[in-house]
Amino acid sequence: MKNRLKKSLFALFSAASLIAIAPLHAQEKNDTPLHYRERPRVALVLSGGGARGFAHIGVLRVLKEMQIPVDYVVGTSMGAVIGGAYAAGRSVEEIEEIVRSTSWDSVLADRPARDALDYRRREEDTILSSRIEMAITKTGLNFPPSAAGNASLEQALIRLLPKGMKSEHVNHLPIPFRSVASDLVTGELVELNDTPLFITMRASLAVPGMFAPVHINKRLVVDGGLVRNLPIDMARKMGADIVIAVNVGTPLAQEKELGSAISVAQQMIQILTEQNVQRSLKEIGPDDVLISPDLSGISFLDFNENHNAMLAGDIATRQLASKLKALQVSAQDYARYDQLRMSETNEADNSVRIASIEVQGTQNINPQILIEQSGLKLGEAATEEKIMQVSGKLYGRGDLDHVEIEIDDNIDKRNVLIKAHEAVWSKNRLRLGLELYSDFKDTNQFTLGAMHVASSMNNWGGEIRTILKIGAQREGGVQFFQPLQAGSPWYLQSSLQSGAHSNDVFSEGRKIYRETYQGSSFNFAFGRQIDNWGNAQIGFTRTHIKHNQILPEVIDAESKSLESTQYARFRMDTLDSLAFPTHGNLLTFNFERSISTDNFKKPLLNSSITGMHAFQLGDYAGHFYGEWSRSQGDTAPLALGGFLRLSGTPVNSLSNKTVALGRFVLAERIGRMPAPFGGAIRLGWSLELGGGFNEGEAVKYGKLKRSFSTFVAFDTRFGPLYFGFGSTGKNAATTYLFLGPIW
């Protein structure tokens, strides 16, 4: 209430001050010749064009430098995003910095950044690295409505908006602002003239197939570029005398570029867009200014080319400086204009005591769980920025389509409303995956996998995870995860699992026989999740194992054993990607004490530790990795051999009572896959050092094997795909095809 009154007073003061800059506007008729007016009313019309729309920032930068005030802003798609932020009070410098610092790969991803996910969602990536997911509903299987997820896009838009402006209606902004969307059902133009700023920007940017449609006033809407990519007529309707129109639309592709179904579909959309742009260009008058930046080589999805797009907008605007100069005002008048536009965003973000926290919109999820996971506490003082971060934290659960946060301040109290919109896959989610491994020699394996997650099984957030794999790895299992109360990080976990696999046994690097294992197990654990980055647990496992030698076959060689294992485990995982991480850390520690019917004299003790640090330097990314494992039995729990584990050495061919490995990997980003299929493409190499040692034998550098590899890596929806070549020493070299988790 306090904010609403303050904004109304600000609007009145802004209007009075702007009239002072152009005092004749209120009295003049629309047909009054421009040269008799003190200052014409100027509208800035910004077209859509995806990543090409960053050229609008360069245009705004020059308009500021030339001291040209803007009375109205109209935008479509990316033009609505840049124009909306400017009309709401962001400075040109702030908009530019936010665009430069945003991870656009994450924005175009099919889900939130991995390091923003809840820990259990990250854990699923290590079980089945595919991101091919769908919902199981009463009507059957439902696929995601878009190639990119909503979460990262909406977080980027919120970050772009000034403080307190997310829920502000477009009619109440410092500069009058309008945008357009397309009704996906009727094909009609939808003028977004009385909607919250955030929803306005989000709807206009809902590129069909790329980002999910948005419901506004009971209408399903998408990107406005389909019906009006350069809405000059809307600027006239608002009262503009002169229009500065910026056209950054993507040109039509040539015939040689139309070689796939995706390129043809994109061309159809571009044809519709270009047709309505040509109609709009006919409305350009002799006093209007049309800016058409040269964006050759920058496509609709080249978001990492934002610097060059801004530069193109800057250059194109300067080339029209002589015509734009007629719209220039004095330095003093422009300073007043810019101060009024940004004054409300300059207020300090003070901490205010939280008086209430309410959750609306949930159907299956207990609202108390969301309140606990938000991290907000009644009675604590919190800034608006801290409260707005809650939406990103709750997105990471993986079962919410989007989250809206509303803040209502009343004197010294702050009321927080969390509007949670459950995704269609929130209750039953199915993931399908494929894993491949080939050294183009003796080892060629594939595994098909499926994982079903049933969430919100009870009021405390119980979850059932079912896994099935067939192929080289045969596995079936079900796990029940139960927090100890609503939103509690403490939990109990039990699981039943059965599986089978084969394993080659090596001696001094030579394969001597193949053995098979079949087993079933029961596991029970007590643990605690540490925020969204870690997990610690203790537990026990009871396992029944059948072992047999099949190559060469040995008659009556089958043996059976029953093992009881107690363990303690810790895992920290802040990696942003499993395909090729650019930042974050991985640390695991595992200690086991096993007693077997085949080894009843004394317990078998196994321990292992692994660690990795990922980094990025411009287009280069890499990591340092190390692991150590030790056993009182025959072999350590971790074996070496295979891609990035002494590349060139046969898979799992090197083991002993102690095993150690270290590696350094560096790769350059050389491209990006189309958004529906995945992410970055990288070309890189690795240096690896490792070996196995007997009990009591010291780990010495001279006894370590040295390996290297070169590879090209693709971040696909099925998981990381590698084509590589590795070598260990002079005589061990292998070519690899690898699809699946590798850490």
Side-chain angles (χ1 to χ4, degrees):
M1 186 174 184
K2 176 184 174 185
N3 272 358
R4 198 166 293 135
L5 177 61
K6 180 178 64 175
K7 294 179 191 300
S8 299
L9 292 173
F10 169 77
L12 288 173
F13 177 69
S14 299
S17 299
L18 287 173
I19 289 173
I21 297 176
L24 300 182
H25 287 180
Q27 292 81 18
E28 292 173 348
K29 297 180 180 180
N30 288 336
D31 57 356
T32 304
L34 293 181
H35 61 274
Y36 288 122
R37 300 181 185 175
E38 181 168 329
R39 189 178 76 81
R41 289 162 291 194
V42 177
L44 181 63
V45 180
L46 306 176
S47 81
R52 296 162 64 91
F54 290 135
H56 298 319
I57 301 173
V59 174
L60 288 170
R61 188 165 56 200
V62 177
L63 293 181
K64 177 180 179 180
E65 182 182 319
M66 294 185 66
Q67 299 165 196
I68 299 174
V70 174
D71 302 286
Y72 313 103
V73 177
V74 184
T76 298
S77 195
M78 184 59 80
V81 172
I82 303 299
Y86 181 79
R90 277 290 190 193
S91 71
V92 179
E93 293 77 14
E94 287 174 331
I95 296 174
E96 182 174 347
E97 174 57 30
I98 292 170
V99 166
R100 291 185 186 279
S101 60
T102 296
S103 172
W104 293 103
D105 285 346
S106 298
V107 172
L108 296 175
D110 54 321
R111 64 177 187 178
R114 186 174 181 274
D115 51 354
L117 292 175
D118 178 78
Y119 179 80
R120 281 186 65 79
R121 304 289 80 80
R122 300 187 203 189
E123 187 179 56
E124 290 171 4
D125 289 347
T126 64
I127 298 172
L128 199 64
S129 62
S130 167
R131 301 197 301 274
I132 308 297
E133 291 190 331
M134 60 205 75
I136 301 178
T137 65
K138 294 180 180 179
T139 59
L141 297 179
N142 288 349
F143 290 87
S146 59
N150 295 330
S152 296
L153 169 65
E154 294 181 2
Q155 286 297 301
L157 293 180
I158 290 172
R159 184 166 170 248
L160 194 60
L161 292 177
K163 177 179 69 69
M165 287 293 184
K166 175 178 180 287
S167 301
E168 192 63 83
H169 279 231
V170 294
N171 288 329
H172 302 153
L173 300 183
I175 299 179
F177 172 70
R178 293 290 184 273
S179 182
V180 295
S182 307
D183 190 311
L184 190 58
V185 178
T186 67
E188 297 174 341
L189 181 147
V190 180
E191 183 176 340
L192 304 175
N193 57 6
D194 189 26
T195 51
L197 177 58
F198 171 78
I199 295 298
T200 300
M201 295 165 61
R202 173 66 180 85
S204 190
L205 193 61
V207 181
M210 178 60 66
F211 299 116
V214 178
H215 280 95
I216 293 183
N217 298 328
K218 298 181 180 180
R219 304 180 76 169
L220 187 65
V221 301
V222 293
D223 192 312
L226 297 176
V227 291
R228 194 80 86 252
N229 202 45
L230 193 65
I232 294 173
D233 58 337
M234 191 175 294
R236 302 284 190 212
K237 183 179 176 182
M238 293 176 73
D241 298 317
I242 288 181
V243 170
I244 301 175
V246 186
N247 182 24
V248 298
T250 306
L252 297 178
Q254 300 299 312
E255 182 178 352
K256 62 182 180 180
E257 300 173 297
L258 301 176
S260 67
I262 292 178
S263 62
V264 171
Q266 290 176 335
Q267 183 82 335
M268 292 173 64
I269 293 175
Q270 293 305 328
I271 289 173
L272 293 174
T273 302
E274 186 61 24
Q275 286 177 344
N276 72 66
V277 167
Q278 291 302 318
R279 289 194 297 269
S280 295
L281 289 176
K282 294 178 181 179
E283 301 171 18
I284 294 287
D287 294 310
D288 297 330
V289 180
L290 175 62
I291 302 174
S292 301
D294 181 4
L295 295 164
S296 302
I298 301 177
S299 74
F300 185 87
L301 294 176
D302 283 340
F303 285 85
N304 291 309
E305 291 290 323
N306 53 77
H307 171 75
N308 290 328
M310 293 180 208
L311 182 60
D314 185 299
I315 293 172
T317 309
R318 293 185 189 280
Q319 290 173 346
L320 295 168
S322 59
K323 189 170 185 178
L324 288 168
K325 195 170 184 180
L327 306 176
Q328 194 175 52
V329 299
S330 68
Q332 182 180 4
D333 283 347
Y334 188 83
R336 287 179 58 200
Y337 158 83
D338 221 31
Q339 182 181 9
L340 287 170
R341 185 179 65 82
M342 297 190 299
S343 61
E344 197 166 301
T345 66
N346 293 330
E347 297 178 4
D349 188 7
N350 297 320
S351 295
V352 180
R353 182 174 63 87
I354 298 177
S356 68
I357 306 173
E358 183 184 355
V359 175
Q360 292 181 356
T362 58
Q363 296 176 338
N364 301 309
I365 305 171
N366 181 355
Q368 187 60 36
I369 294 177
L370 299 184
I371 292 176
E372 291 294 327
Q373 293 180 341
S374 74
L376 302 178
K377 305 293 182 184
L378 288 176
E380 76 167 352
T383 63
E384 285 193 21
E385 181 180 1
K386 178 180 178 180
I387 295 173
M388 296 307 293
Q389 290 174 352
V390 167
S391 60
K393 183 178 294 187
L394 296 182
Y395 271 134
R397 289 174 47 90
D399 53 6
L400 296 174
D401 185 55
H402 63 280
V403 180
E404 299 175 45
I405 307 294
E406 293 186 3
I407 302 172
D408 183 25
D409 288 350
N410 187 3
I411 308 177
D412 60 344
K413 297 180 181 179
R414 178 161 280 171
N415 301 307
V416 179
L417 174 62
I418 302 173
K419 293 184 177 180
H421 301 262
E422 293 184 18
V424 67
W425 57 84
S426 63
K427 188 68 175 176
N428 288 286
R429 178 165 46 88
L430 178 66
R431 178 184 293 196
L432 302 177
L434 170 67
E435 298 177 9
L436 298 173
Y437 184 92
S438 175
D439 60 5
F440 299 96
K441 295 179 182 177
D442 188 47
T443 305
N444 298 280
Q445 301 176 347
F446 80 94
T447 301
L448 296 175
M451 176 169 56
H452 174 258
V453 179
S455 303
S456 301
M457 299 301 296
N458 52 46
N459 209 37
W460 285 2
E463 183 176 282
I464 297 177
R465 180 192 288 166
T466 305
I467 300 169
L468 177 65
K469 293 184 178 182
I470 59 174
Q473 183 180 356
R474 300 170 296 284
E475 177 184 336
V478 59
Q479 178 195 90
F480 180 63
F481 172 85
Q482 179 60 63
L484 295 185
Q485 65 180 33
S488 173
W490 297 97
Y491 66 87
L492 296 176
Q493 177 179 295
S494 61
S495 63
L496 289 171
Q497 186 170 325
S498 179
H501 70 278
S502 61
N503 182 53
D504 291 331
V505 179
F506 292 78
S507 177
E508 297 182 355
R510 300 177 67 86
K511 187 184 302 183
I512 55 176
Y513 62 88
R514 178 171 296 173
E515 55 189 5
T516 61
Y517 289 90
Q518 292 179 301
S520 57
S521 65
F522 168 76
N523 174 267
F524 183 82
F526 168 70
R528 188 184 195 279
Q529 291 193 183
I530 308 170
D531 198 17
N532 72 334
W533 56 264
N535 183 52
Q537 63 178 214
I538 56 174
F540 72 86
T541 302
R542 187 79 166 173
T543 307
H544 182 264
I545 301 175
K546 293 181 180 179
H547 166 264
N548 201 358
Q549 180 177 319
I550 58 172
L551 290 177
E553 185 177 6
V554 177
I555 305 300
D556 297 328
E558 182 178 273
S559 63
K560 300 179 181 180
S561 64
L562 187 65
E563 291 184 356
S564 296
T565 302
Q566 300 89 42
Y567 62 83
R569 295 171 182 166
F570 171 80
R571 184 178 178 91
M572 177 185 76
D573 182 358
T574 62
L575 298 177
D576 64 326
S577 168
L578 283 185
F580 207 96
T582 59
H583 66 263
N585 298 285
L586 175 70
L587 178 64
T588 68
F589 172 79
N590 188 43
F591 177 80
E592 297 179 350
R593 179 180 181 272
S594 299
I595 299 178
S596 171
T597 55
D598 290 343
N599 187 22
F600 56 85
K601 292 184 179 180
K602 65 176 183 178
L604 176 65
L605 302 179
N606 290 330
S607 58
S608 65
I609 184 170
T610 63
M612 183 169 75
H613 171 70
F615 63 89
Q616 183 171 11
L617 299 171
D619 287 337
Y620 287 87
H623 67 256
F624 296 94
Y625 176 89
E627 70 180 43
W628 176 90
S629 62
R630 186 175 182 180
S631 174
Q632 288 184 351
D634 295 330
T635 59
L638 300 176
L640 300 182
F643 182 57
L644 297 183
R645 302 186 58 78
L646 294 183
S647 302
T649 304
V651 178
N652 295 333
S653 64
L654 198 161
S655 186
N656 216 315
K657 293 193 173 183
T658 299
V659 169
L661 172 70
R663 71 167 174 254
F664 172 72
V665 178
L666 188 66
E668 180 184 12
R669 174 180 169 145
I670 58 174
R672 178 182 175 84
M673 301 180 68
F677 301 108
I681 303 173
R682 294 187 179 273
L683 179 65
W685 51 268
S686 72
L687 297 176
E688 306 150 38
L689 193 67
F693 304 88
N694 291 316
E695 186 174 359
E697 184 180 5
V699 177
K700 296 182 178 180
Y701 178 80
K703 294 185 178 181
L704 295 174
K705 293 181 179 292
R706 290 169 283 279
S707 298
F708 78 91
S709 72
T710 60
F711 58 83
V712 58
F714 301 82
D715 181 9
T716 77
R717 291 291 174 95
F718 277 102
L721 173 64
Y722 287 81
F723 291 96
F725 170 82
S727 176
T728 302
K730 297 180 179 179
N731 301 317
T734 305
T735 302
Y736 293 100
L737 167 64
F738 191 97
L739 173 64
I742 61 173
W743 312 126

